[in-house]
């Protein structure tokens, strides 16, 4: 659920997390900006998963309603917001470092307001105001509608907290302000919260109970995006397979397979992706739906976390190695061209060497196209923190992580090399990082392909690209049919 670059290993990711969040801005001014504007600007930086990035777009929309306009220039901001992540200790450290910098700005420009949003706000609540003296607003993921009130209070010098979690809030009626967008792909949140209790995970505490969003509002958001030129939507939830929405009018229940089909029917040229699937919940019905629609991308992020059944039990993942392998086999059987990726935690409480080796072997067996890999970071208040000692020494965690990363790199290279000579339908996202003479885009399997431009093509177009070369990170190709 992070960056989509297949080179991104857990180690690199940890570095990235400390280096930067992503700055959101909108290239064009708001359409109604002039009449609605209060002359003030907000700046928002986001950390963590796609859900957080998606939430920042909801926050931007809420703020624009009360006249604030987005800016990417910190020095222009009247309101500085940071949407935070608590998933690992490093993620929280990064945010604290950023807050030090915002403190300096605030001292130089009194009157600038600083707000902390998201999972860390939810976890630390009012402690934040005690610990970080210059923070004005602390607001949790379910309380964003209250942001204008808290901002108004902050303008009067009041420091405010709202970290109430909700059982209903889905922000279904709020049309997200697409920020920092390539105009081609967008996220759509389909549910919030999580009812699983993976013992290592802080998300159920920071995001509250699981709830699903009205399917019709999801479809109309997808339709609207398509009408505005977008060609790819990613349906977001911590556990999309447990999507469950009951129509209050006729009591009919919509599950994830049905929702996928509804979104796929918006237009054959609108690609549909989703994240994250939970191995215990992904059904054959979903797999058959994927197989039936060309525009549902043949890519599943199916985090295994560990390849060993005993560790999985301590993690409270509620599946074992055999169950997971059966699900992987079902995917490859029903959708032979599907790519699978994973999240993996090295060095969880009590993990033995042979248990770790089963994780390494799983990477190879499942043939992941890529994985996000992390070493275990104990989170206060979680089941694991209460129940199991964090007893794998740091050097062992790091060594095991490196072994998993090495195996994944080999498997990714093998996976990519197997694509050389094949031709894929690629959705063009924009210029490649290295050259404006090249485009980058993804195939259905979510692999980035870089290829020389042709004049008549532009971002948002599809092209047929033949793969001519591969590294463990990227495919290189040439257009075979525009
Ligand atoms: N809902 C998703 C995961 C969301 S968190 C799922 O169930 O797969 C993203 C990833 O962060 C997790 O898959 C896990 O690999 C990692 N993660 C979560 N808590 C962690 C912790 N305490 N230490 C290290 N990694 C963790
Ligand atoms: Fe965390 Fe597990 Fe929920 Fe994923 S499914 S968010 S890992 S508790
Ligand atoms: Fe996402 Fe981090 Fe929260 S991964 S749900 S932003 S703890």
């Amino acid at each position: 659920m992070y960056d989509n670059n297949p080179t991104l290993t857990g180690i690199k990711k940890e570095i990235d997390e400390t280096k930067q969040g992503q700055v959101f801005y909108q290239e064009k001014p708001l359409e109604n900006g002039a009449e609605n504007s209060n002359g003030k600007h907000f700046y928002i930086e986001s950390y963590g998963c796609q859900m957080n990035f998606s939430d920042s777009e909801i926050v931007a929309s809420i703020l624009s309603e009360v006249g604030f306009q987005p800016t990417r220039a910190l020095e222009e901001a009247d309101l500085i917001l940071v949407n935070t992540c608590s998933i690992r200790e490093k993620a929280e450290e990064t945010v604290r470092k950023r807050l030090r910098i915002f403190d300096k700005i605030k001292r130089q420009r009194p009157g600038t307001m600083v707000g902390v949003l998201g999972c860390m706000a939810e976890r630390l609540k009012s402690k934040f105001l005690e610990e970080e003296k210059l923070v004005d607003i602390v607001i949790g993921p379910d309380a964003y509608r209250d942001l204008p009130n808290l901002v108004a209070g902050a303008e009067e010098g009041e420091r405010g907290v709202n970290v109430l979690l909700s059982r209903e809030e889905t922000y279904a009626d709020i049309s997200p302000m697409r920020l920092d967008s390539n105009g081609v792909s967008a996220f759509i949140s389909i549910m919030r919260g999580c009812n699983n209790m993976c013992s290592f995970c802080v998300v159920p505490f920071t995001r509250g109970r699981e709830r699903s969003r009205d399917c019709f509002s999801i479809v109309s958001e997808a339709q609207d995006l398509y009408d505005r030129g977008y060609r790819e939507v990613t349906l977001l939830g911590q556990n999309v397979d447990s999507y469950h929405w009951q129509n209050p009018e006729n009591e009919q229940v919509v599950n994830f397979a049905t929702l996928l089909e509804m979104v796929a029917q918006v237009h054959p040229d609108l690609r549909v992706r989703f994240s994250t699937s939970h191995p215990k919940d992904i059904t054959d019905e979903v797999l058959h739906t994927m197989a039936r629609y060309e525009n549902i991308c043949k890519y599943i992020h199916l985090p295994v976390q560990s390849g060993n059944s005993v560790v999985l039990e301590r993690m409270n993942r509620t599946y074992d190695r055999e169950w997971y392998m059966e699900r992987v086999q079902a995917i490859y059987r029903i959708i032979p061209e599907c790519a699978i990726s994973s999240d993996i935690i090295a060095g969880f409480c009590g993990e033995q060497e042979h248990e770790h080796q089963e994780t390494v072997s799983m990477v190879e067996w499942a043939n992941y196209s890529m994985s996000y890999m992390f070493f275990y970071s104990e989170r206060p208040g979680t089941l694991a923190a209460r129940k199991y000692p964090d007893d794998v020494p740091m050097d062992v965690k790091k060594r095991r992580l490196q072994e998993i990363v090495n195996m994944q790199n080999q498997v990714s290279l093998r996976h990519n090399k197997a694509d050389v000579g094949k031709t894929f339908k690629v959705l063009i996202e924009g210029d490649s990082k290295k050259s404006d003479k090249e485009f980058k885009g993804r195939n259905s399997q979510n692999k980035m392909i870089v290829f020389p431009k042709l004049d008549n093509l532009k971002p948002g177009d599809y092209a047929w690209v033949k793969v001519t070369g591969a590294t463990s990170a990227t495919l290189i190709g040439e257009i075979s049919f525009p």
Side-chain angles (χ1 to χ4, degrees):
M1 270 190 131
Y2 300 83
D3 195 291
N4 281 320
N5 183 344
T7 54
L8 206 60
T9 65
I11 290 178
K12 267 183 76 191
K13 181 66 205 168
E14 297 272 352
I15 296 166
D16 283 0
E17 273 175 355
T18 59
K19 220 170 51 189
Q20 54 181 216
Q22 194 146 335
V23 177
F24 273 141
Y25 65 96
Q26 202 185 35
E27 278 177 2
K28 286 184 226 122
L30 287 178
E31 273 157 34
N32 63 349
E35 21 179 302
N36 196 17
S37 173
N38 64 7
K40 294 191 175 162
H41 289 91
F42 70 93
Y43 166 98
I44 186 164
E45 221 171 78
S46 304
Y47 295 84
C49 62
Q50 291 167 345
M51 191 67 86
N52 248 16
F53 286 74
S54 167
D55 279 2
S56 290
E57 300 190 331
I58 288 167
V59 167
S61 174
I62 291 172
L63 285 172
S64 79
E65 284 292 313
V66 293
F68 278 82
Q69 288 193 299
T71 175
R72 64 192 301 203
L74 249 181
E75 59 280 5
E76 202 185 34
D78 303 282
L79 172 62
I80 300 174
L81 299 173
V82 53
N83 198 352
T84 61
C85 173
S86 285
I87 202 82
R88 286 168 290 276
E89 203 176 339
K90 265 234 167 78
E92 293 201 350
E93 280 166 18
T94 312
V95 167
R96 293 204 186 270
K97 278 193 202 129
R98 286 305 283 164
L99 286 173
R100 298 281 90 78
I101 291 170
F102 299 156
D103 273 2
K104 274 194 203 137
I105 293 175
K106 215 177 140 132
R107 285 208 188 90
Q108 285 160 2
R109 282 207 326 268
T112 311
M113 297 168 282
V114 174
V116 179
L117 280 53
C119 291
M120 209 175 156
E122 192 62 51
R123 194 177 83 73
L124 291 165
K125 304 188 169 58
S126 54
K127 256 199 262 169
F128 233 120
L129 294 186
E130 291 155 29
E131 289 173 19
E132 305 282 344
K133 297 286 177 228
L134 294 177
V135 167
D136 302 284
I137 295 166
V138 175
I139 189 158
D142 286 347
Y144 295 143
R145 288 181 202 268
D146 196 30
L147 190 54
N149 287 333
L150 294 190
V151 171
E155 283 173 331
E156 303 300 316
E158 282 166 32
R159 303 171 82 204
V161 181
N162 187 342
V163 287
L164 284 179
L165 287 173
S166 157
R167 280 172 180 261
E168 288 95 36
E169 183 62 272
T170 59
Y171 301 110
D173 56 315
I174 293 180
S175 168
M177 179 192 267
R178 302 295 165 185
L179 300 160
D180 214 20
S181 154
N182 61 7
V184 176
S185 33
F187 298 130
I188 303 183
S189 288
I190 62 163
M191 56 208 289
R192 302 181 69 81
C194 183
N195 281 359
N196 296 316
M197 273 285 171
C198 303
S199 62
F200 51 78
C201 186
V202 78
V203 173
F205 304 94
T206 61
R207 294 253 162 194
R209 304 292 292 173
E210 180 186 288
R211 67 223 93 122
S212 297
R213 176 179 166 189
D214 175 342
C215 67
F216 300 111
S217 75
I218 296 169
V219 171
S220 69
E221 193 172 325
Q223 181 69 57
D224 177 58
L225 285 163
Y226 180 79
D227 294 342
R228 286 159 51 200
Y230 285 79
R231 290 296 174 264
E232 184 176 85
V233 294
T234 303
L235 309 181
L236 292 182
Q238 294 298 349
N239 180 6
V240 290
D241 302 284
S242 66
Y243 177 87
H244 176 102
W245 184 75
Q246 188 161 26
N247 190 338
E249 277 162 31
N250 56 14
E251 309 271 292
Q252 249 178 11
V253 169
V254 176
N255 67 9
F256 183 58
T258 310
L259 177 72
L260 251 188
E261 182 150 27
M262 289 168 76
V263 180
Q265 285 174 351
V266 165
H267 197 284
D269 282 341
L270 183 71
R271 276 188 169 176
V272 187
R273 299 185 182 278
F274 55 88
S275 190
T276 298
S277 299
H278 196 298
K280 82 172 158 63
D281 292 320
I282 189 164
T283 60
D284 285 0
E285 190 191 359
V286 165
L287 303 179
H288 287 297
T289 307
M290 289 176 73
R292 260 201 322 278
Y293 286 85
E294 188 271 339
N295 59 329
I296 304 182
C297 290
K298 306 300 180 269
Y299 169 69
I300 299 178
H301 185 56
L302 192 74
V304 69
Q305 312 297 0
S306 165
N308 174 267
S309 297
V310 177
V311 175
L312 284 169
E313 194 174 337
R314 272 202 300 280
M315 287 178 162
N316 201 25
R317 286 290 285 183
T318 68
Y319 55 84
D320 59 11
R321 183 178 171 92
E322 285 63 43
W323 173 279
Y324 185 87
M325 290 172 94
E326 190 282 323
R327 289 290 77 203
V328 168
Q329 282 169 330
I331 293 170
Y332 290 142
R333 184 176 67 243
I334 297 169
I335 320 165
E337 74 275 33
C338 197
I340 304 177
S341 62
S342 193
D343 289 348
I344 296 171
I345 299 177
F348 184 62
C349 311
E351 185 187 70
Q352 304 295 305
E353 203 55 38
H354 70 277
E355 296 170 336
H356 156 66
Q357 287 307 328
E358 282 207 288
T359 301
V360 177
S361 71
M362 179 62 89
V363 171
E364 185 170 29
W365 181 86
N367 198 27
Y368 297 131
S369 57
M370 61 155 301
S371 292
Y372 299 107
M373 296 159 279
F374 317 95
F375 58 76
Y376 174 58
S377 162
E378 186 178 86
R379 308 310 295 130
T382 54
L383 234 57
R386 282 180 276 150
K387 224 167 140 184
Y388 308 116
D390 179 12
D391 54 1
V392 178
M394 188 49 100
D395 58 329
V396 177
K397 282 184 184 173
K398 287 194 171 162
R399 195 249 308 146
R400 288 184 187 167
L401 175 58
Q402 192 57 55
E403 285 175 14
I404 299 168
V405 167
N406 291 347
M407 175 56 85
Q408 182 59 65
N409 284 344
Q410 278 179 40
V411 173
S412 295
L413 182 63
R414 181 181 79 193
H415 206 288
N416 284 352
K417 285 215 159 133
D419 287 338
V420 175
K422 291 186 194 162
T423 300
F424 293 103
K425 187 175 169 186
V426 171
L427 175 60
I428 302 173
E429 291 180 14
D431 288 356
S432 85
K433 266 192 200 142
K434 287 197 191 131
S435 159
D436 61 6
K437 297 197 170 49
E438 287 172 345
F439 274 137
K440 64 171 180 187
R442 279 168 215 279
N443 66 6
S444 177
Q445 288 74 10
N446 204 36
K447 287 193 188 176
M448 190 64 90
I449 309 187
V450 172
F451 54 96
K453 283 184 177 176
L454 272 193
D455 281 348
N456 56 340
L457 290 173
K458 57 181 187 318
D461 287 345
Y462 288 99
W464 289 91
V465 179
K466 181 169 181 184
V467 177
T468 53
T471 66
S472 64
T474 326
L475 301 178
I476 297 135
E478 56 194 33
I479 290 178
S480 70
F481 179 65

